[in-house]
Amino acid sequence: MANLLVNYGLPLNLALEEIIYYRGVIGETIKEEAKNNDFSLDAFYQIISYFNSIVDNAIQFVSKSYVKDYTEKINYAQYAIDELSVPVVRMTEEIGILPLVGDLDTKRAQYLMESALEKGSQYKLEWLIIDLSAVPIIDTMVADQLFKVIAGLQLIGVEVVISGIRPEIAQTMVNLEIKVEEVKSFSSLHQAVQYTNSFIESLM
């Protein structure tokens, strides 16, 4: 029941209202049977207490199942969003582009590292262009994480080029005393693509 509610995007109270309705219906049946069979007060109380305990357990079980299924669905959706928000696009056999859009927080930066390393290795890339044109600002922790991504990529043989660094991001990097001269950077993605293409052509 809980799984159906989550899959159809229905609220938990629908299931709880259904259980409460049947509590009332069955409770009336128990009362009538108690009258017809001259149950003692103690016997009636014992039956009603047991019945209420079963219903309470059912409510608790459905509620827990609903929360569990809902949380799993949200986590899965978040994973899909994270994956889409860090897309490594293969431009050529040797070159990939990672266009980042929107704010970069520490969680997304961590996913960036995992995705970039995984895709870089999977695609057997020689170059990866990380484009920051659509990133408004990066804090010090994320900037530090970004350069850890670059270091990790270099360890698996992927050269990194950065494009679209905004003045605010450049300021953060300077404040972090990050040696940006070790990484080639360009003001636009077009320039970065031209550079990587010309470098590969020069080796042919």
Side-chain angles (χ1 to χ4, degrees), residues 26-64:
I26 298 171
E28 284 296 318
T29 302
I30 292 173
K31 184 175 75 173
E32 290 302 316
E33 287 297 314
K35 285 181 181 178
N36 294 336
N37 292 279
D38 293 326
F39 284 6
S40 68
L41 186 60
D42 286 343
F44 178 71
Y45 178 79
Q46 187 177 2
I47 292 169
I48 285 295
S49 296
Y50 183 66
F51 169 66
N52 283 331
S53 175
I54 291 172
V55 175
D56 290 341
N57 286 337
I59 290 173
Q60 189 177 44
F61 182 79
V62 171
S63 299
K64 285 181 178 179

Side-chain angles (χ1 to χ4, degrees), residues 18-189:
E18 191 79 2
I19 294 172
I20 290 168
Y21 168 76
Y22 281 108
R23 183 204 288 264
V25 171
I26 298 171
E28 284 296 318
T29 302
I30 292 173
K31 184 175 75 173
E32 290 302 316
E33 287 297 314
K35 285 181 181 178
N36 294 336
N37 292 279
D38 293 326
F39 284 6
S40 68
L41 186 60
D42 286 343
F44 178 71
Y45 178 79
Q46 187 177 2
I47 292 169
I48 285 295
S49 296
Y50 183 66
F51 169 66
N52 283 331
S53 175
I54 291 172
V55 175
D56 290 341
N57 286 337
I59 290 173
Q60 189 177 44
F61 182 79
V62 171
S63 299
K64 285 181 178 179
S65 297
Y66 182 90
V67 171
K68 177 177 174 291
D69 292 343
Y70 186 80
T71 302
E72 287 177 356
K73 188 173 183 179
I74 291 296
N75 289 340
Y76 180 80
Q78 186 60 53
Y79 177 82
I81 291 169
D82 288 340
E83 191 171 35
L84 288 172
S85 70
V86 187
V88 175
V89 181
R90 193 171 190 172
M91 191 177 73
T92 68
E93 286 292 318
E94 301 89 359
I95 305 169
I97 300 175
L98 176 53
L100 298 175
V101 179
D103 294 333
L104 277 175
D105 55 17
T106 49
K107 181 182 176 183
R108 192 175 173 208
Q110 178 62 36
Y111 189 82
L112 163 63
M113 171 173 273
E114 294 170 3
S115 179
L117 290 172
E118 179 187 343
K119 296 298 183 183
S121 176
Q122 179 185 337
Y123 295 156
K124 295 181 171 61
L125 297 175
E126 294 179 18
W127 292 84
L128 181 64
I129 301 170
I130 299 178
D131 183 58
L132 304 174
S133 302
V135 177
I137 193 153
I138 295 178
D139 64 25
T140 52
M141 289 181 66
V142 173
D144 185 52
Q145 187 74 20
L146 179 62
F147 276 82
K148 285 179 180 176
V149 173
I150 293 170
L153 287 165
Q154 289 173 338
L155 285 174
I156 63 171
V158 181
E159 290 298 324
V160 179
V161 174
I162 299 177
S163 67
I165 295 180
R166 298 163 62 92
E168 301 92 333
I169 296 175
Q171 181 78 35
T172 302
M173 291 177 177
V174 170
N175 291 339
L176 273 173
E177 298 181 356
I178 293 172
K179 297 178 180 179
V180 291
E181 65 270 14
E182 295 180 0
V183 181
K184 202 72 178 174
S185 62
F186 297 89
S187 59
S188 71
L189 177 59

